[in-house]
Amino acid sequence: MQQLLTILLNGVTTGMIYAAFALALVLIWRSTRIVNFAQAPMAMITTYIALVVIDAGYSYWIGFAAALVSGLVLGAVIERLVVRFVDSSSHINPVILTLGLFIVIHALAAIIFGSQFRSFPAPFGLTGQTIGDLNIALTGYDVFKVVAVLVVLGLLVLLFRFTDLGLKMRASAFEPEVAKLLGVRVGRMLTLGWALAAAVGSLAGILIAGGSLVHPGYMDSIVVFGFVAAVLGGLDSPGGAVVGGLMMGIGLSFVSGYLGQDLVSFAALLILIVVLLSKPSGLFAAAVARKV
């Protein structure tokens, strides 16, 4: 019972991190129709910025805010200075660009911040609870992860379903020429999409860094697991991203707990293959998307 509960809670908290990263992928896909594989190193850079602020003597929350703001700026700058000049007539060109950015940002981070492991603080306790003879592997920081991701999910649902801005962002991504004729400033909407996605990615970077060690490659595995979570839930569904992240987190936690850590990556690949073969648009894709 103790092992089962520990594995389940660990899966939920880890799944929320996958969900945060998947939300960033869903956001940039819905607003630009691009899958950004450079999302992880971008989040890593902003996490280092937060660490620099915290090491300078400022509070965790000031560093937290600095990471989100720097994510907004970094996403906007990359879109304005790099992505905008790539021929997007083929969907593969922007994807290749993001893979190149992945390598470049990694190299820059190693040059600027170094490659050594550095400790990142957590705003809440990292000790679980004890109820009788049962140890509950749920810390204050784990609760913070869950709440943070659910808040972001709520904000994204409000943005895309109930605001004119969200409608303009989706129109700019799906039908940019028609959106221009209707007076939408498509360029600004695409920049905003990159900026917001980078900020959400920054949140994922900070959530996974809290109470552990960071280095230039600490986010690399999240690219795989977060992408699988996004595809599992559906790249057009914020709610699906969270459910997909939870399913990934819990599923891989059980694989790690009962079959061994070495099989985790294989299990993630197997899940991706099964989803792409059986339901390529995702479990929570809209009906229209499934008919295309």
Side-chain angles (χ1 to χ4, degrees), residues 28-99:
I28 200 166
W29 173 257
R30 295 191 80 174
S31 56
T32 67
R33 310 313 284 178
I34 294 175
V35 177
N36 180 19
F37 287 106
Q39 195 74 65
M42 290 169 63
M44 175 265 296
I45 286 286
T46 60
T47 301
Y48 267 108
I49 291 174
L51 185 58
V52 169
V53 172
I54 294 170
D55 287 345
Y58 296 96
S59 72
Y60 173 92
W61 298 111
I62 294 179
F64 183 90
L68 298 186
V69 172
S70 60
L72 281 170
V73 174
L74 180 61
V77 168
I78 288 179
E79 195 283 329
R80 283 281 182 174
L81 299 183
V82 182
V83 178
R84 181 161 298 195
F85 299 100
V86 175
D87 181 13
S88 57
S89 57
S90 172
H91 290 300
I92 194 64
N93 292 340
V95 173
I96 293 174
L97 172 66
T98 62
L99 290 173

Short mmCIF file of all heavy atoms in Angstrom, two decimals, residues 28-99:
data_model
loop_
_atom_site.label_atom_id
_atom_site.label_comp_id
_atom_site.label_asym_id
_atom_site.label_seq_id
_atom_site.Cartn_x
_atom_site.Cartn_y
_atom_site.Cartn_z
N ILE A 28 1.71 27.33 -28.24
CA ILE A 28 2.40 27.81 -29.44
C ILE A 28 1.83 27.15 -30.70
O ILE A 28 1.79 27.76 -31.77
CB ILE A 28 3.92 27.58 -29.32
CG1 ILE A 28 4.65 28.50 -30.31
CG2 ILE A 28 4.31 26.13 -29.57
CD1 ILE A 28 6.12 28.62 -30.05
N TRP A 29 1.33 25.92 -30.58
CA TRP A 29 0.70 25.28 -31.73
C TRP A 29 -0.61 25.97 -32.09
O TRP A 29 -0.88 26.24 -33.26
CB TRP A 29 0.46 23.80 -31.44
CG TRP A 29 -0.32 23.10 -32.51
CD1 TRP A 29 -1.64 22.76 -32.47
CD2 TRP A 29 0.17 22.66 -33.79
NE1 TRP A 29 -2.01 22.13 -33.64
CE2 TRP A 29 -0.92 22.06 -34.47
CE3 TRP A 29 1.40 22.72 -34.42
CZ2 TRP A 29 -0.79 21.52 -35.74
CZ3 TRP A 29 1.54 22.18 -35.70
CH2 TRP A 29 0.45 21.60 -36.34
N ARG A 30 -1.42 26.28 -31.10
CA ARG A 30 -2.71 26.92 -31.36
C ARG A 30 -2.56 28.34 -31.89
O ARG A 30 -3.39 28.82 -32.64
CB ARG A 30 -3.57 26.95 -30.09
CG ARG A 30 -3.98 25.60 -29.58
CD ARG A 30 -5.03 25.70 -28.48
NE ARG A 30 -6.36 25.92 -29.04
CZ ARG A 30 -7.47 25.94 -28.32
NH1 ARG A 30 -7.40 25.75 -27.01
NH2 ARG A 30 -8.63 26.14 -28.87
N SER A 31 -1.47 29.01 -31.50
CA SER A 31 -1.31 30.41 -31.88
C SER A 31 -0.39 30.62 -33.08
O SER A 31 -0.43 31.70 -33.68
CB SER A 31 -0.79 31.22 -30.69
OG SER A 31 0.42 30.67 -30.20
N THR A 32 0.41 29.61 -33.45
CA THR A 32 1.33 29.78 -34.59
C THR A 32 1.38 28.58 -35.52
O THR A 32 1.98 28.67 -36.58
CB THR A 32 2.76 30.06 -34.09
OG1 THR A 32 3.28 28.90 -33.43
CG2 THR A 32 2.80 31.24 -33.14
N ARG A 33 0.80 27.44 -35.11
CA ARG A 33 0.87 26.18 -35.87
C ARG A 33 2.30 25.69 -36.03
O ARG A 33 2.69 25.15 -37.06
CB ARG A 33 0.21 26.31 -37.25
CG ARG A 33 -1.17 26.90 -37.25
CD ARG A 33 -2.08 26.30 -36.21
NE ARG A 33 -2.58 24.96 -36.56
CZ ARG A 33 -3.36 24.26 -35.76
NH1 ARG A 33 -3.72 24.72 -34.58
NH2 ARG A 33 -3.78 23.06 -36.14
N ILE A 34 3.11 25.88 -35.01
CA ILE A 34 4.50 25.41 -34.99
C ILE A 34 4.71 24.57 -33.74
O ILE A 34 4.26 24.94 -32.66
CB ILE A 34 5.49 26.59 -35.00
CG1 ILE A 34 5.41 27.36 -36.31
CG2 ILE A 34 6.93 26.10 -34.77
CD1 ILE A 34 6.28 28.61 -36.34
N VAL A 35 5.40 23.44 -33.90
CA VAL A 35 5.84 22.66 -32.75
C VAL A 35 7.26 23.11 -32.41
O VAL A 35 8.18 22.94 -33.20
CB VAL A 35 5.82 21.15 -33.05
CG1 VAL A 35 6.37 20.36 -31.86
CG2 VAL A 35 4.41 20.69 -33.38
N ASN A 36 7.41 23.72 -31.25
CA ASN A 36 8.68 24.33 -30.87
C ASN A 36 9.52 23.39 -30.01
O ASN A 36 9.33 23.30 -28.79
CB ASN A 36 8.42 25.65 -30.12
CG ASN A 36 9.72 26.32 -29.72
OD1 ASN A 36 10.78 26.03 -30.26
ND2 ASN A 36 9.64 27.22 -28.75
N PHE A 37 10.47 22.70 -30.63
CA PHE A 37 11.33 21.79 -29.88
C PHE A 37 12.41 22.53 -29.11
O PHE A 37 13.14 21.92 -28.33
CB PHE A 37 11.97 20.76 -30.82
CG PHE A 37 11.00 19.73 -31.32
CD1 PHE A 37 10.53 19.77 -32.62
CD2 PHE A 37 10.54 18.74 -30.48
CE1 PHE A 37 9.62 18.82 -33.09
CE2 PHE A 37 9.63 17.78 -30.93
CZ PHE A 37 9.17 17.82 -32.24
N ALA A 38 12.53 23.84 -29.33
CA ALA A 38 13.49 24.64 -28.56
C ALA A 38 12.88 25.15 -27.26
O ALA A 38 13.52 25.91 -26.53
CB ALA A 38 13.98 25.83 -29.39
N GLN A 39 11.66 24.72 -26.97
CA GLN A 39 10.98 25.20 -25.76
C GLN A 39 11.75 24.85 -24.49
O GLN A 39 11.82 25.64 -23.55
CB GLN A 39 9.58 24.59 -25.69
CG GLN A 39 8.64 25.26 -24.71
CD GLN A 39 8.15 26.59 -25.20
OE1 GLN A 39 7.43 26.67 -26.19
NE2 GLN A 39 8.56 27.66 -24.55
N ALA A 40 12.36 23.66 -24.46
CA ALA A 40 13.08 23.22 -23.26
C ALA A 40 14.32 24.06 -22.98
O ALA A 40 14.49 24.57 -21.87
CB ALA A 40 13.43 21.74 -23.36
N PRO A 41 15.24 24.25 -23.95
CA PRO A 41 16.39 25.10 -23.65
C PRO A 41 16.02 26.55 -23.39
O PRO A 41 16.70 27.25 -22.63
CB PRO A 41 17.28 24.96 -24.89
CG PRO A 41 16.41 24.42 -25.95
CD PRO A 41 15.37 23.61 -25.26
N MET A 42 14.94 27.04 -23.99
CA MET A 42 14.47 28.39 -23.68
C MET A 42 14.05 28.47 -22.21
O MET A 42 14.39 29.45 -21.52
CB MET A 42 13.29 28.77 -24.60
CG MET A 42 13.68 28.98 -26.06
SD MET A 42 12.25 29.10 -27.17
CE MET A 42 11.45 30.58 -26.54
N ALA A 43 13.35 27.45 -21.74
CA ALA A 43 12.95 27.41 -20.32
C ALA A 43 14.17 27.28 -19.42
O ALA A 43 14.21 27.84 -18.32
CB ALA A 43 11.99 26.25 -20.09
N MET A 44 15.15 26.53 -19.88
CA MET A 44 16.39 26.37 -19.10
C MET A 44 17.10 27.71 -18.92
O MET A 44 17.58 28.04 -17.83
CB MET A 44 17.29 25.36 -19.80
CG MET A 44 18.67 25.18 -19.19
SD MET A 44 19.91 26.22 -20.02
CE MET A 44 19.92 25.53 -21.68
N ILE A 45 17.15 28.51 -19.98
CA ILE A 45 17.79 29.83 -19.91
C ILE A 45 17.08 30.71 -18.89
O ILE A 45 17.72 31.37 -18.06
CB ILE A 45 17.78 30.51 -21.30
CG1 ILE A 45 18.81 29.86 -22.23
CG2 ILE A 45 18.06 32.00 -21.17
CD1 ILE A 45 20.24 30.21 -21.91
N THR A 46 15.76 30.73 -18.93
CA THR A 46 15.01 31.59 -18.00
C THR A 46 15.14 31.10 -16.56
O THR A 46 15.10 31.90 -15.63
CB THR A 46 13.53 31.69 -18.40
OG1 THR A 46 12.94 30.38 -18.38
CG2 THR A 46 13.39 32.26 -19.81
N THR A 47 15.29 29.78 -16.39
CA THR A 47 15.51 29.25 -15.04
C THR A 47 16.86 29.72 -14.50
O THR A 47 16.97 30.07 -13.31
CB THR A 47 15.46 27.71 -15.05
OG1 THR A 47 14.18 27.29 -15.54
CG2 THR A 47 15.66 27.15 -13.65
N TYR A 48 17.86 29.74 -15.35
CA TYR A 48 19.17 30.26 -14.93
C TYR A 48 19.08 31.74 -14.57
O TYR A 48 19.74 32.21 -13.64
CB TYR A 48 20.21 30.03 -16.02
CG TYR A 48 20.99 28.75 -15.87
CD1 TYR A 48 20.76 27.68 -16.73
CD2 TYR A 48 21.96 28.61 -14.89
CE1 TYR A 48 21.47 26.50 -16.61
CE2 TYR A 48 22.67 27.44 -14.75
CZ TYR A 48 22.43 26.38 -15.61
OH TYR A 48 23.14 25.21 -15.46
N ILE A 49 18.27 32.49 -15.32
CA ILE A 49 18.09 33.91 -15.01
C ILE A 49 17.48 34.05 -13.62
O ILE A 49 17.90 34.89 -12.81
CB ILE A 49 17.21 34.58 -16.07
CG1 ILE A 49 17.97 34.66 -17.40
CG2 ILE A 49 16.78 35.98 -15.61
CD1 ILE A 49 17.14 35.19 -18.55
N ALA A 50 16.48 33.21 -13.31
CA ALA A 50 15.88 33.23 -11.97
C ALA A 50 16.92 32.89 -10.92
O ALA A 50 16.96 33.51 -9.85
CB ALA A 50 14.72 32.24 -11.91
N LEU A 51 17.78 31.92 -11.20
CA LEU A 51 18.80 31.52 -10.24
C LEU A 51 19.81 32.64 -10.00
O LEU A 51 20.23 32.86 -8.86
CB LEU A 51 19.53 30.27 -10.75
CG LEU A 51 20.56 29.65 -9.81
CD1 LEU A 51 19.92 29.26 -8.48
CD2 LEU A 51 21.21 28.43 -10.46
N VAL A 52 20.16 33.37 -11.04
CA VAL A 52 21.06 34.51 -10.89
C VAL A 52 20.43 35.57 -9.99
O VAL A 52 21.10 36.14 -9.11
CB VAL A 52 21.41 35.11 -12.27
CG1 VAL A 52 22.12 36.46 -12.11
CG2 VAL A 52 22.29 34.15 -13.07
N VAL A 53 19.13 35.82 -10.19
CA VAL A 53 18.43 36.81 -9.36
C VAL A 53 18.39 36.35 -7.90
O VAL A 53 18.64 37.14 -6.98
CB VAL A 53 17.00 37.03 -9.91
CG1 VAL A 53 16.19 37.89 -8.94
CG2 VAL A 53 17.05 37.68 -11.28
N ILE A 54 18.09 35.08 -7.68
CA ILE A 54 18.01 34.55 -6.31
C ILE A 54 19.39 34.57 -5.65
O ILE A 54 19.52 34.94 -4.47
CB ILE A 54 17.43 33.13 -6.32
CG1 ILE A 54 15.97 33.16 -6.80
CG2 ILE A 54 17.51 32.50 -4.93
CD1 ILE A 54 15.38 31.79 -7.07
N ASP A 55 20.43 34.18 -6.38
CA ASP A 55 21.78 34.18 -5.83
C ASP A 55 22.26 35.59 -5.52
O ASP A 55 23.18 35.78 -4.70
CB ASP A 55 22.76 33.52 -6.80
CG ASP A 55 22.59 31.99 -6.84
OD1 ASP A 55 21.94 31.45 -5.93
OD2 ASP A 55 23.12 31.36 -7.78
N ALA A 56 21.67 36.60 -6.16
CA ALA A 56 22.03 37.99 -5.89
C ALA A 56 21.43 38.50 -4.59
O ALA A 56 21.68 39.64 -4.19
CB ALA A 56 21.61 38.89 -7.06
N GLY A 57 20.61 37.66 -3.93
CA GLY A 57 20.06 38.04 -2.64
C GLY A 57 18.59 38.36 -2.65
O GLY A 57 18.01 38.70 -1.60
N TYR A 58 17.94 38.26 -3.81
CA TYR A 58 16.52 38.54 -3.89
C TYR A 58 15.71 37.29 -3.56
O TYR A 58 16.23 36.17 -3.54
CB TYR A 58 16.16 39.05 -5.29
CG TYR A 58 16.81 40.38 -5.62
CD1 TYR A 58 18.01 40.42 -6.34
CD2 TYR A 58 16.25 41.58 -5.20
CE1 TYR A 58 18.62 41.63 -6.64
CE2 TYR A 58 16.85 42.79 -5.50
CZ TYR A 58 18.04 42.81 -6.21
OH TYR A 58 18.64 44.01 -6.51
N SER A 59 14.43 37.46 -3.30
CA SER A 59 13.59 36.34 -2.88
C SER A 59 13.30 35.40 -4.05
O SER A 59 13.48 35.75 -5.22
CB SER A 59 12.26 36.85 -2.31
OG SER A 59 11.43 37.36 -3.34
N TYR A 60 12.83 34.21 -3.69
CA TYR A 60 12.45 33.22 -4.70
C TYR A 60 11.40 33.80 -5.64
O TYR A 60 11.46 33.58 -6.86
CB TYR A 60 11.92 31.96 -4.03
CG TYR A 60 11.35 30.94 -4.99
CD1 TYR A 60 12.15 29.93 -5.51
CD2 TYR A 60 10.00 30.99 -5.38
CE1 TYR A 60 11.63 29.00 -6.40
CE2 TYR A 60 9.48 30.06 -6.27
CZ TYR A 60 10.30 29.07 -6.77
OH TYR A 60 9.78 28.16 -7.67
N TRP A 61 10.45 34.53 -5.10
CA TRP A 61 9.32 35.00 -5.92
C TRP A 61 9.75 36.08 -6.90
O TRP A 61 9.19 36.18 -7.99
CB TRP A 61 8.20 35.49 -5.01
CG TRP A 61 7.68 34.38 -4.15
CD1 TRP A 61 7.82 34.25 -2.80
CD2 TRP A 61 6.97 33.23 -4.60
NE1 TRP A 61 7.24 33.08 -2.38
CE2 TRP A 61 6.71 32.43 -3.45
CE3 TRP A 61 6.53 32.79 -5.84
CZ2 TRP A 61 6.03 31.22 -3.54
CZ3 TRP A 61 5.86 31.57 -5.92
CH2 TRP A 61 5.61 30.81 -4.78
N ILE A 62 10.75 36.87 -6.54
CA ILE A 62 11.28 37.84 -7.50
C ILE A 62 11.99 37.10 -8.63
O ILE A 62 11.85 37.44 -9.82
CB ILE A 62 12.23 38.83 -6.81
CG1 ILE A 62 11.45 39.70 -5.82
CG2 ILE A 62 12.95 39.70 -7.83
CD1 ILE A 62 12.29 40.69 -5.06
N GLY A 63 12.73 36.05 -8.28
CA GLY A 63 13.36 35.23 -9.31
C GLY A 63 12.32 34.53 -10.18
O GLY A 63 12.49 34.42 -11.40
N PHE A 64 11.24 34.07 -9.56
CA PHE A 64 10.15 33.43 -10.28
C PHE A 64 9.55 34.39 -11.30
O PHE A 64 9.35 34.04 -12.48
CB PHE A 64 9.09 33.00 -9.26
CG PHE A 64 7.92 32.25 -9.84
CD1 PHE A 64 7.96 30.87 -9.94
CD2 PHE A 64 6.78 32.91 -10.26
CE1 PHE A 64 6.88 30.16 -10.46
CE2 PHE A 64 5.71 32.23 -10.78
CZ PHE A 64 5.74 30.84 -10.89
N ALA A 65 9.28 35.62 -10.87
CA ALA A 65 8.73 36.63 -11.78
C ALA A 65 9.73 36.98 -12.87
O ALA A 65 9.35 37.16 -14.04
CB ALA A 65 8.35 37.88 -10.99
N ALA A 66 11.02 37.05 -12.51
CA ALA A 66 12.05 37.37 -13.51
C ALA A 66 12.10 36.30 -14.59
O ALA A 66 12.29 36.60 -15.78
CB ALA A 66 13.41 37.50 -12.83
N ALA A 67 11.92 35.03 -14.21
CA ALA A 67 11.93 33.95 -15.19
C ALA A 67 10.75 34.07 -16.16
O ALA A 67 10.92 33.91 -17.38
CB ALA A 67 11.89 32.60 -14.48
N LEU A 68 9.56 34.35 -15.64
CA LEU A 68 8.39 34.46 -16.50
C LEU A 68 8.51 35.66 -17.45
O LEU A 68 8.19 35.56 -18.64
CB LEU A 68 7.12 34.58 -15.65
CG LEU A 68 6.79 33.40 -14.74
CD1 LEU A 68 5.44 33.61 -14.08
CD2 LEU A 68 6.81 32.08 -15.50
N VAL A 69 8.98 36.79 -16.92
CA VAL A 69 9.13 37.99 -17.76
C VAL A 69 10.20 37.77 -18.81
O VAL A 69 10.03 38.13 -19.98
CB VAL A 69 9.46 39.21 -16.88
CG1 VAL A 69 9.82 40.41 -17.75
CG2 VAL A 69 8.29 39.56 -15.97
N SER A 70 11.33 37.16 -18.41
CA SER A 70 12.39 36.90 -19.38
C SER A 70 11.93 35.90 -20.43
O SER A 70 12.35 35.96 -21.59
CB SER A 70 13.65 36.39 -18.68
OG SER A 70 13.40 35.19 -17.98
N GLY A 71 11.04 34.97 -20.04
CA GLY A 71 10.46 34.06 -21.01
C GLY A 71 9.62 34.79 -22.04
O GLY A 71 9.71 34.51 -23.25
N LEU A 72 8.81 35.72 -21.58
CA LEU A 72 8.02 36.54 -22.51
C LEU A 72 8.92 37.26 -23.51
O LEU A 72 8.68 37.24 -24.72
CB LEU A 72 7.20 37.56 -21.73
CG LEU A 72 5.91 37.09 -21.05
CD1 LEU A 72 5.37 38.17 -20.13
CD2 LEU A 72 4.86 36.74 -22.10
N VAL A 73 9.97 37.89 -22.98
CA VAL A 73 10.88 38.66 -23.84
C VAL A 73 11.62 37.73 -24.80
O VAL A 73 11.75 38.03 -26.00
CB VAL A 73 11.87 39.46 -22.98
CG1 VAL A 73 12.91 40.16 -23.86
CG2 VAL A 73 11.13 40.49 -22.13
N LEU A 74 12.14 36.63 -24.29
CA LEU A 74 12.90 35.70 -25.13
C LEU A 74 12.05 35.14 -26.25
O LEU A 74 12.50 35.07 -27.41
CB LEU A 74 13.45 34.57 -24.26
CG LEU A 74 14.29 33.50 -24.98
CD1 LEU A 74 15.53 34.13 -25.61
CD2 LEU A 74 14.68 32.39 -24.01
N GLY A 75 10.82 34.74 -25.95
CA GLY A 75 9.94 34.22 -26.98
C GLY A 75 9.65 35.25 -28.05
O GLY A 75 9.68 34.94 -29.25
N ALA A 76 9.37 36.49 -27.64
CA ALA A 76 9.09 37.55 -28.60
C ALA A 76 10.30 37.86 -29.47
O ALA A 76 10.19 38.04 -30.69
CB ALA A 76 8.63 38.81 -27.86
N VAL A 77 11.48 37.91 -28.86
CA VAL A 77 12.70 38.21 -29.61
C VAL A 77 13.01 37.13 -30.63
O VAL A 77 13.36 37.42 -31.80
CB VAL A 77 13.89 38.40 -28.64
CG1 VAL A 77 15.21 38.43 -29.40
CG2 VAL A 77 13.72 39.68 -27.84
N ILE A 78 12.89 35.87 -30.24
CA ILE A 78 13.17 34.77 -31.17
C ILE A 78 12.20 34.80 -32.34
O ILE A 78 12.59 34.58 -33.50
CB ILE A 78 13.10 33.42 -30.42
CG1 ILE A 78 14.33 33.27 -29.52
CG2 ILE A 78 13.03 32.26 -31.41
CD1 ILE A 78 14.35 31.99 -28.71
N GLU A 79 10.93 35.08 -32.07
CA GLU A 79 9.96 35.14 -33.16
C GLU A 79 10.26 36.30 -34.10
O GLU A 79 10.23 36.15 -35.32
CB GLU A 79 8.55 35.26 -32.60
CG GLU A 79 7.44 34.98 -33.60
CD GLU A 79 7.17 36.12 -34.58
OE1 GLU A 79 7.37 37.28 -34.19
OE2 GLU A 79 6.76 35.84 -35.73
N ARG A 80 10.56 37.45 -33.52
CA ARG A 80 10.79 38.65 -34.32
C ARG A 80 12.07 38.58 -35.14
O ARG A 80 12.11 39.01 -36.30
CB ARG A 80 10.86 39.88 -33.40
CG ARG A 80 9.51 40.37 -32.92
CD ARG A 80 8.82 41.17 -33.99
NE ARG A 80 7.53 41.71 -33.54
CZ ARG A 80 6.79 42.54 -34.26
NH1 ARG A 80 7.21 42.92 -35.44
NH2 ARG A 80 5.62 42.96 -33.80
N LEU A 81 13.14 38.05 -34.55
CA LEU A 81 14.45 38.11 -35.19
C LEU A 81 14.83 36.86 -35.96
O LEU A 81 15.73 36.91 -36.81
CB LEU A 81 15.53 38.39 -34.13
CG LEU A 81 15.39 39.71 -33.35
CD1 LEU A 81 16.56 39.89 -32.40
CD2 LEU A 81 15.29 40.89 -34.31
N VAL A 82 14.18 35.73 -35.65
CA VAL A 82 14.59 34.47 -36.29
C VAL A 82 13.43 33.80 -37.01
O VAL A 82 13.47 33.61 -38.23
CB VAL A 82 15.18 33.50 -35.23
CG1 VAL A 82 15.63 32.21 -35.91
CG2 VAL A 82 16.34 34.14 -34.49
N VAL A 83 12.39 33.45 -36.29
CA VAL A 83 11.31 32.63 -36.85
C VAL A 83 10.59 33.35 -37.98
O VAL A 83 10.22 32.73 -38.98
CB VAL A 83 10.31 32.24 -35.74
CG1 VAL A 83 9.14 31.44 -36.31
CG2 VAL A 83 11.00 31.45 -34.65
N ARG A 84 10.41 34.64 -37.85
CA ARG A 84 9.65 35.40 -38.85
C ARG A 84 10.26 35.34 -40.24
O ARG A 84 9.55 35.48 -41.24
CB ARG A 84 9.53 36.86 -38.39
CG ARG A 84 8.75 37.74 -39.33
CD ARG A 84 8.28 38.98 -38.66
NE ARG A 84 7.37 38.70 -37.55
CZ ARG A 84 6.60 39.62 -36.98
NH1 ARG A 84 6.62 40.86 -37.41
NH2 ARG A 84 5.80 39.29 -35.99
N PHE A 85 11.57 35.11 -40.33
CA PHE A 85 12.26 35.14 -41.63
C PHE A 85 12.43 33.75 -42.23
O PHE A 85 13.13 33.59 -43.23
CB PHE A 85 13.62 35.82 -41.46
CG PHE A 85 13.52 37.23 -40.98
CD1 PHE A 85 13.73 37.55 -39.65
CD2 PHE A 85 13.17 38.26 -41.85
CE1 PHE A 85 13.62 38.86 -39.20
CE2 PHE A 85 13.06 39.57 -41.41
CZ PHE A 85 13.27 39.87 -40.08
N VAL A 86 11.80 32.76 -41.62
CA VAL A 86 11.87 31.40 -42.15
C VAL A 86 10.67 31.15 -43.06
O VAL A 86 9.54 31.53 -42.74
CB VAL A 86 11.89 30.37 -41.01
CG1 VAL A 86 11.84 28.95 -41.56
CG2 VAL A 86 13.13 30.55 -40.17
N ASP A 87 10.92 30.53 -44.19
CA ASP A 87 9.84 30.19 -45.11
C ASP A 87 8.92 29.16 -44.47
O ASP A 87 9.32 28.03 -44.22
CB ASP A 87 10.44 29.64 -46.41
CG ASP A 87 9.37 29.28 -47.44
OD1 ASP A 87 8.20 29.70 -47.25
OD2 ASP A 87 9.70 28.60 -48.42
N SER A 88 7.70 29.59 -44.19
CA SER A 88 6.75 28.70 -43.50
C SER A 88 5.77 28.03 -44.46
O SER A 88 4.77 27.46 -44.04
CB SER A 88 5.96 29.50 -42.46
OG SER A 88 5.28 30.59 -43.07
N SER A 89 6.06 28.10 -45.78
CA SER A 89 5.18 27.43 -46.74
C SER A 89 5.20 25.92 -46.52
O SER A 89 4.24 25.22 -46.81
CB SER A 89 5.61 27.75 -48.17
OG SER A 89 6.97 27.37 -48.39
N SER A 90 6.32 25.41 -46.00
CA SER A 90 6.42 24.00 -45.60
C SER A 90 6.51 23.95 -44.09
O SER A 90 7.32 24.64 -43.47
CB SER A 90 7.65 23.35 -46.23
OG SER A 90 7.85 22.05 -45.70
N HIS A 91 5.71 23.10 -43.46
CA HIS A 91 5.68 23.02 -42.00
C HIS A 91 6.99 22.50 -41.43
O HIS A 91 7.27 22.70 -40.25
CB HIS A 91 4.52 22.13 -41.54
CG HIS A 91 3.17 22.74 -41.77
ND1 HIS A 91 2.80 23.94 -41.19
CD2 HIS A 91 2.11 22.33 -42.51
CE1 HIS A 91 1.56 24.24 -41.57
NE2 HIS A 91 1.13 23.29 -42.37
N ILE A 92 7.79 21.83 -42.26
CA ILE A 92 9.02 21.24 -41.75
C ILE A 92 10.10 22.28 -41.50
O ILE A 92 10.96 22.11 -40.63
CB ILE A 92 9.55 20.15 -42.73
CG1 ILE A 92 10.61 19.28 -42.07
CG2 ILE A 92 10.08 20.81 -43.99
CD1 ILE A 92 10.14 18.48 -40.92
N ASN A 93 10.06 23.40 -42.22
CA ASN A 93 11.10 24.42 -42.07
C ASN A 93 11.16 25.01 -40.66
O ASN A 93 12.24 25.07 -40.06
CB ASN A 93 10.91 25.53 -43.11
CG ASN A 93 11.16 25.05 -44.52
OD1 ASN A 93 11.82 24.04 -44.72
ND2 ASN A 93 10.63 25.76 -45.50
N PRO A 94 10.05 25.46 -40.09
CA PRO A 94 10.10 25.98 -38.71
C PRO A 94 10.52 24.92 -37.70
O PRO A 94 11.20 25.22 -36.72
CB PRO A 94 8.67 26.46 -38.45
CG PRO A 94 8.08 26.70 -39.79
CD PRO A 94 8.70 25.65 -40.66
N VAL A 95 10.15 23.66 -37.93
CA VAL A 95 10.53 22.60 -37.00
C VAL A 95 12.04 22.40 -37.01
O VAL A 95 12.69 22.28 -35.97
CB VAL A 95 9.81 21.28 -37.37
CG1 VAL A 95 10.34 20.13 -36.51
CG2 VAL A 95 8.32 21.43 -37.18
N ILE A 96 12.63 22.39 -38.23
CA ILE A 96 14.09 22.27 -38.34
C ILE A 96 14.76 23.45 -37.65
O ILE A 96 15.79 23.30 -36.98
CB ILE A 96 14.50 22.17 -39.81
CG1 ILE A 96 13.99 20.86 -40.42
CG2 ILE A 96 16.02 22.26 -39.95
CD1 ILE A 96 14.23 20.74 -41.90
N LEU A 97 14.17 24.64 -37.81
CA LEU A 97 14.72 25.82 -37.15
C LEU A 97 14.73 25.66 -35.64
O LEU A 97 15.72 25.98 -34.97
CB LEU A 97 13.91 27.06 -37.54
CG LEU A 97 14.26 28.34 -36.77
CD1 LEU A 97 15.67 28.78 -37.11
CD2 LEU A 97 13.25 29.44 -37.06
N THR A 98 13.63 25.17 -35.07
CA THR A 98 13.58 25.02 -33.61
C THR A 98 14.59 23.99 -33.12
O THR A 98 15.14 24.12 -32.03
CB THR A 98 12.16 24.63 -33.13
OG1 THR A 98 11.79 23.36 -33.68
CG2 THR A 98 11.14 25.68 -33.57
N LEU A 99 14.85 22.95 -33.92
CA LEU A 99 15.88 21.98 -33.55
C LEU A 99 17.26 22.64 -33.56
O LEU A 99 18.10 22.36 -32.70
CB LEU A 99 15.85 20.78 -34.51
CG LEU A 99 14.63 19.86 -34.40
CD1 LEU A 99 14.64 18.83 -35.51
CD2 LEU A 99 14.60 19.18 -33.05
#
